[in-house]
Amino acid sequence: MQRRAQREKRDQRVERAGRRGRVLVSAAALPVILLAAGCSSDSGSDGEAKASASPSVTASPSPTVQAAAYGTLPKPCDVLSKKTLGELVPKGSKSGKEGDSDDTSSRASCSWDSLDNNGVKGSQFRWLNVSLLRFESDVTRGSGEELAREYYEKQVTDVRSVEGAKNTKAEPLAGTGDEATAVRYDLKKKEGSFKQQTVVARVENVVVTLDYNGAGLAGEKTPDADDLMKDATKAAKEVVAAVAEANGKGGGASAKSPGASGSPSGSPSGSPSDSPSKSATSSATASKTPAKKS
C-alpha cells in the first residue's frame, strides 16, 4: 500500500512536470509568432509606400494653335483713295455704300457705282465692290492663315465657274498680298455686254475680293477689258495695303488678336464654330444692274 501511494505521488509529479513543460514550450513559441506577424505587417507597409511612390500619370497639355496675324479690318469704304475711286467710278466716288455686317472687324464690304450719261450718245456704266473677310485661329479648325488660304482657294474656284460667263481667263497676280489671282470674263445681260474683272487676294489671315465691271450702254462702245483689269489690280493692291496698315503696317505685335493663344475671340461669321460663307457680295452676281436712263 505504501509503494502504491509512492507510485501515485511520483506519477502526479511527472504529470505536473509535463504540463509545465508544455506551457513553457507554448510560451516560447509565442514571440516567434508575434515576430512573424510583425514582419508580415511591415512588408505590407513597404509595398503600400512603394506603390504610393510610383509616378502618377500627368494630364496632356491643352492644344494650341498659331496666333492670327491680323486682328481687325479697315473701314471698307475708306480702303481706296479718292484718286483711285475717281479713276474707277468717275461719277460715283462719293457713292460708297457699306454692306451689312454683325462684326465689321471680321467681315466688311463697300460698293460704288457710276453712270456717265451722255444722252443720245449712250452711257458708260461702272460698278466696284470690295469685300474683306478675316479669319481667327481656332484650336479645332486651324490657324487663321490656314482657314484664309482654304477660303481663298474656294473663292477663286467660284469666280472661275460663274454661270453664264464667257471667255474666262485666270492668272496669278504678283505683288498683291501673300497670294492673289486675277479672273476676267464676259457676261451678257439684258442691259448690255459687261466686262467683269475680279481679283481675289490673301494677306495673312484676311481674304480680299475686289469685283469691278463695266459696260457701254445705249450704243456706247464696250470698255476695254485690259484697261479695266489694270485698274482692278491697282485697286486690289491698295486694299491689301490698307489691311496691313490697319493692323500696324505688317501685322506686328499691335496687330495680334487678343484671342490668339489658342482660343478664338471670334470668327468671320461672328461665331467661332461657323464656317465662313461667300463674301458679302457674291462674284456670281457681281455685275450690278445699272440705273435706267431718264
Side-chain angles (χ1 to χ4, degrees), residues 273-294:
S273 61
D274 289 343
S275 300
S277 60
K278 290 186 178 180
S279 55
T281 303
S282 172
S283 300
T285 57
S287 299
K288 182 179 179 180
T289 302
K292 293 183 180 180
K293 289 177 54 182
S294 57

Side-chain angles (χ1 to χ4, degrees), residues 119-136:
V120 295
K121 294 182 180 181
S123 304
Q124 282 292 333
F125 174 75
R126 299 289 186 273
W127 181 73
L128 173 67
N129 184 82
V130 173
S131 297
L132 306 168
L133 199 59
R134 184 182 66 84
F135 293 79
E136 265 294 3

Side-chain angles (χ1 to χ4, degrees), residues 9-293:
K9 289 182 180 179
R10 185 175 63 248
D11 293 340
Q12 291 175 357
R13 285 197 300 270
V14 171
E15 185 178 354
R16 284 196 296 269
R19 287 199 299 268
R20 188 181 300 113
R22 288 194 297 272
V23 171
L24 291 175
V25 171
S26 299
L30 183 60
V32 177
I33 297 173
L34 294 176
L35 179 61
C39 291
S40 176
S41 177
D42 290 343
S43 176
S45 299
D46 290 343
E48 293 176 0
K50 290 179 180 179
S52 63
S54 300
S56 58
V57 179
T58 57
S60 301
S62 299
T64 59
V65 67
Q66 183 180 358
Y70 292 158
T72 191
L73 294 175
K75 293 182 179 179
C77 292
D78 294 340
V79 294
L80 296 172
S81 66
K82 291 182 179 181
K83 180 177 182 298
T84 299
L85 289 173
E87 294 172 352
L88 272 65
V89 280
K91 299 294 183 178
S93 60
K94 296 181 180 180
S95 65
K97 297 177 182 178
E98 186 170 346
D100 295 333
S101 175
D102 56 357
D103 182 5
T104 54
S105 68
S106 294
R107 182 192 299 274
S109 66
C110 189
S111 63
W112 301 260
D113 61 74
S114 173
L115 183 65
D116 187 1
N117 194 334
N118 296 318
V120 295
K121 294 182 180 181
S123 304
Q124 282 292 333
F125 174 75
R126 299 289 186 273
W127 181 73
L128 173 67
N129 184 82
V130 173
S131 297
L132 306 168
L133 199 59
R134 184 182 66 84
F135 293 79
E136 265 294 3
S137 295
D138 189 299
V139 293
T140 60
R141 298 168 60 214
S143 69
E145 184 174 350
E146 292 171 342
L147 296 173
R149 186 181 295 111
E150 291 174 4
Y151 180 76
Y152 163 81
E153 294 173 353
K154 181 180 183 301
Q155 188 77 330
V156 171
T157 299
D158 289 345
V159 173
R160 296 180 64 175
S161 57
V162 171
E163 185 178 356
K166 303 293 184 182
N167 305 318
T168 302
K169 296 179 181 179
E171 58 184 359
L173 186 61
T176 308
D178 296 306
E179 53 186 336
T181 300
V183 183
R184 68 171 70 181
Y185 54 84
D186 300 333
L187 197 61
K188 184 72 174 178
K189 299 174 71 70
K190 64 180 182 180
E191 295 84 6
S193 297
F194 287 80
K195 296 290 184 178
Q196 174 69 36
Q197 329 297 316
T198 299
V199 176
V200 183
R202 180 186 67 82
V203 53
E204 297 287 357
N205 57 309
V206 175
V207 177
V208 173
T209 303
L210 184 144
D211 293 306
Y212 183 49
N213 66 47
L217 307 178
E220 185 68 73
K221 68 176 183 178
T222 301
D224 184 76
D226 290 336
D227 291 340
L228 293 178
M229 179 56 79
K230 186 182 299 183
D231 289 338
T233 55
K234 175 185 176 181
K237 294 177 188 292
E238 198 169 316
V239 175
V240 167
V243 173
E245 184 176 357
N247 287 277
K249 296 184 179 181
S254 62
K256 296 296 183 181
S257 170
S261 61
S263 298
S265 62
S267 70
S269 61
S271 172
S273 61
D274 289 343
S275 300
S277 60
K278 290 186 178 180
S279 55
T281 303
S282 172
S283 300
T285 57
S287 299
K288 182 179 179 180
T289 302
K292 293 183 180 180
K293 289 177 54 182

